[in-house]
């Protein structure tokens, strides 16, 4: 008998406040319920926000006070699920951790709100979020069952690039897959967040647990993402759901755009000219502590001009004759720069659904900012059909010769 379930990937975007975003998640989940969807995946960092374009005022050896204010706002946007910094595992899931006097739950109530939404809609929810615990933020994903509430949560073990400034490293033990039964169909599901999917050993740790629903919430809107998802589907003989946000620059949350009192004060001063340094014919190199070299001629920088392409890439062009005071700086003629038509996307989306044979079942969904919900009904017996010739954690693994261990993680399939 076919093992049919209806799955969805929601291309939703973070709104200005966490409360608004939770309401958006509820609206989307209720809409999914009207379509008889059994499980819905939301993007990476959907609750709390993915701080795309943010620098947090950081450079090597220096941090800007405005960046600290921006991080403060980001910290306030993150959700508190009541877990410990080290990750309490089953003690947190089973609510065995102590409560503060006079309270009924740990954290800020986000866990309880997600459980309510899942319970009232009957939809299994998996969402990316930014979790605060102690003084650190973690990129995480949480699994919310309509009947049993939260049955699992994991934290991203390897933040990518600049994410390492703002997110801590999660616990490898949280890579444990979870199991549930929906309408008689048994699922073993687990999530790899964004570029964790480029970590072959991490992928194999999920394959080893016999995952048949592989979830990939992401912030990667590159064209290379779809081939990776297809590879994972074929490699793991699992259905793959990937959800990403689609966002235009003017719809980034206000704290990401830098709308803070400190930012406005700085911009006001610069407009009035009070903080604009006096221009000099001789550029001066400054050390990290802000002092200038006494011999400015010994550290003369080559004169240059910066232009920006329509794709927002900056190009630094050298002046052809740096010794000439009247050297003409290179420019790009207006006729050479095409006008940018349409919205200014900082993330184009690309959510997709993939079969256990690596086929694209739905998507990728590009440049749909609001209301993007990819849905598909699938037969989970296709996963077993695919195991005829490939089981990378079993018959095709040569596990007598190649072995993987993960600190604190049981790689056997969960009960």
């Amino acid at each position: 008998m076919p093992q049919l379930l209806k799955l969805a990937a929601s291309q939703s975007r973070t709104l200005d406040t966490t409360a608004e975003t939770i309401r958006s998640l509820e609206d989307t989940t209720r809409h999914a319920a009207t379509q008889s969807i059994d499980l819905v995946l939301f993007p990476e960092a959907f609750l709390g926000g993915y701080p795309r374009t943010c620098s947090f005022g950081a450079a090597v050896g220096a941090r800007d006070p405005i960046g600290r204010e921006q991080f403060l706002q980001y910290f306030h946007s993150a959700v508190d699920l009541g877990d410990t910094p080290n990750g309490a595992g089953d003690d947190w899931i089973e609510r065995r951790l102590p409560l503060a006097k006079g309270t009924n739950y740990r954290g800020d109530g986000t866990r309880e709100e997600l459980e309510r939404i899942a319970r009232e809609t009957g939809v299994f929810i998996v969402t990316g979020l930014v979790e605060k615990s102690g003084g650190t933020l973690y990129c995480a994903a949480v699994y919310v069952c309509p009947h049993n509430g939260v049955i699992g949560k994991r934290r991203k073990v390897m933040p990518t690039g600049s994410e390492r400034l703002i997110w801590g490293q999660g616990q490898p033990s949280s890579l444990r897959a979870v199991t549930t039964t929906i309408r008689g169909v048994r699922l073993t599901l687990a999530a790899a967040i964004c570029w964790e999917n480029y970590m072959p050993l991490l992928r194999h740790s999920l394959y080893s647990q016999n995952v048949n629903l592989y979830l990939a919430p992401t912030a990667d809107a590159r064209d290379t993402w779809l081939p990776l998802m297809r590879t994972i589907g074929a490699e793991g003989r699992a259905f793959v759901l990937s959800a990403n946000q689609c966002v235009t620059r003017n719809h980034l949350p206000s704290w990401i755009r830098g709308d803070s009192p400190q930012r406005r004060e700085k911009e006001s001063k610069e407009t009035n000219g009070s903080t604009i340094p006096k221009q000099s014919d001789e550029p001066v190199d400054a050390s990290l502590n802000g002092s200038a070299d006494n011999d400015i001629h010994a550290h003369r920088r080559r004169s240059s001009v910066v232009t920006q392409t329509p794709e927002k890439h900056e190009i630094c062009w050298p002046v052809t004759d740096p010794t000439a005071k009247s050297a003409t700086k290179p420019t790009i003629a207006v006729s050479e720069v095409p006008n940018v038509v349409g919205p200014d996307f900082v993330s184009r989306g690309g959510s997709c659904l993939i079969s256990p044979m690596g086929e694209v079942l739905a998507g990728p969904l590009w440049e749909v900012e609001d209301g993007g919900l990819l849905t598909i009904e699938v037969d989970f017996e296709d996963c077993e059909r695919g195991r005829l010739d490939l089981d990378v954690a079993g018959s095709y693994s040569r596990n007598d010769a190649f072995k993987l261990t993960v600190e604190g993680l049981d790689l056997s399939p969960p009960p």
Side-chain angles (χ1 to χ4, degrees):
M1 178 180 294
Q3 301 288 293
L4 301 176
L5 288 179
K6 198 168 184 181
L7 310 175
S10 178
Q11 191 157 286
S12 301
R13 62 181 175 90
T14 303
L15 302 180
D16 269 347
T17 69
T18 303
E20 289 178 281
T21 307
I22 292 176
R23 286 197 296 272
S24 172
L25 180 146
E26 179 172 5
D27 291 343
T28 299
T29 306
R30 291 191 179 280
H31 175 67
T34 65
Q35 299 185 38
S36 301
I37 289 170
D38 298 295
L39 181 147
V40 60
L41 172 68
F42 291 89
E44 177 183 17
F46 177 53
L47 302 182
Y50 187 82
R52 193 178 298 277
T53 74
C54 289
S55 69
F56 292 99
V60 176
R63 261 71 62 194
D64 190 319
I66 290 178
R68 296 187 186 278
E69 175 65 23
Q70 193 173 47
F71 181 75
L72 174 65
Q73 295 183 60
Y74 189 37
F75 199 91
H76 289 168
S77 295
V79 300
D80 182 356
L81 300 177
D83 200 358
T84 64
N86 288 332
D90 288 342
D91 285 341
W92 175 78
I93 293 171
E94 300 297 333
R95 289 185 165 89
R96 293 195 291 260
L97 296 177
L99 298 177
K101 187 175 181 179
T103 61
N104 297 321
Y105 54 82
R106 292 174 61 91
D108 60 12
T110 298
R111 171 181 178 167
E112 289 70 23
E113 188 69 358
L114 291 173
E115 290 176 333
R116 177 191 65 79
I117 295 169
R119 183 174 60 252
E120 292 181 358
T121 61
V123 177
F124 194 109
I125 298 171
V126 183
T127 185
L129 52 82
V130 179
E131 176 192 8
K132 54 187 171 188
S133 183
T136 297
L137 300 181
Y138 299 92
C139 180
V142 64
Y143 313 101
V144 191
C145 173
H147 309 292
N148 301 317
V150 171
I151 62 172
K153 173 175 66 70
R154 60 152 314 222
R155 292 170 175 169
K156 191 173 185 178
V157 300
M158 190 68 254
T160 302
S162 299
E163 295 170 2
R164 295 171 203 161
L165 174 68
I166 53 172
W167 294 343
Q169 293 182 335
Q171 296 75 29
S173 60
S174 70
L175 283 162
R176 186 63 172 160
V178 299
T179 59
T180 189
T181 300
I182 302 176
R183 293 199 290 118
V185 180
R186 178 178 168 82
L187 296 181
T188 302
L189 58 150
I193 304 172
C194 204
W195 274 25
E196 287 184 330
N197 290 281
Y198 282 115
M199 301 171 68
L201 297 182
L202 188 146
R203 296 204 309 263
H204 193 76
S205 74
L206 302 186
Y207 301 153
S208 298
Q209 298 176 67
N210 201 34
V211 167
N212 60 1
L213 180 56
Y214 187 111
L215 305 165
T218 188
D220 190 338
R222 298 170 179 84
D223 292 337
T224 50
W225 187 253
L226 181 64
L228 176 62
M229 295 298 99
R230 297 187 66 179
T231 296
I232 290 171
E235 191 174 63
R237 291 299 196 248
F239 286 101
V240 179
L241 271 66
S242 183
N244 189 13
Q245 300 191 40
C246 179
V247 189
T248 53
R249 190 173 302 275
N250 64 319
H251 281 161
L252 287 169
S254 58
W255 61 266
I256 291 182
R257 298 194 300 267
D259 185 15
S260 67
Q262 287 80 358
R263 172 74 67 180
R264 289 192 294 270
E265 180 181 359
K266 181 179 179 182
E267 291 176 348
S268 175
K269 288 181 179 179
E270 290 178 346
T271 301
N272 295 331
S274 59
T275 62
I276 300 177
K278 181 180 179 180
Q279 298 298 313
S280 169
D281 291 335
E282 304 291 348
V284 178
D285 282 326
S287 63
L288 289 178
N289 62 11
S291 63
D293 193 289
N294 290 328
D295 186 358
I296 60 176
H297 297 282
H299 296 276
R300 185 195 305 268
R301 288 195 301 224
R302 184 172 58 181
S303 300
S304 61
V305 64
V306 176
T307 57
Q308 192 175 70
T309 70
E311 294 78 21
K312 307 301 180 185
H313 300 305
E314 290 185 346
I315 303 177
C316 185
W317 304 88
V319 172
T320 54
D321 184 5
T323 62
K325 297 294 183 181
S326 60
T328 302
K329 296 181 179 180
T331 59
I332 297 179
V334 174
S335 60
E336 296 174 5
V337 181
N339 291 326
V340 179
V341 179
D344 182 10
F345 287 98
V346 294
S347 176
R348 296 174 54 237
S351 302
C352 59
L353 310 178
I354 308 297
S355 82
M357 301 301 291
E359 303 157 326
V360 179
L361 299 177
L365 187 62
W366 298 114
E367 298 185 358
V368 176
E369 190 175 21
D370 295 302
L373 191 67
L374 290 178
T375 65
I376 190 75
E377 186 175 60
V378 301
D379 181 3
F380 275 88
E381 287 191 334
D382 286 347
C383 299
E384 281 76 34
R385 293 184 179 98
R387 301 295 175 90
L388 169 68
D389 52 3
L390 185 66
D391 180 5
V392 295
S395 62
Y396 213 84
S397 69
R398 283 304 305 270
N399 53 21
D400 59 324
F402 303 97
K403 300 184 184 300
L404 172 66
T405 59
V406 180
E407 188 70 26
L409 178 64
D410 181 3
L411 293 179
S412 60

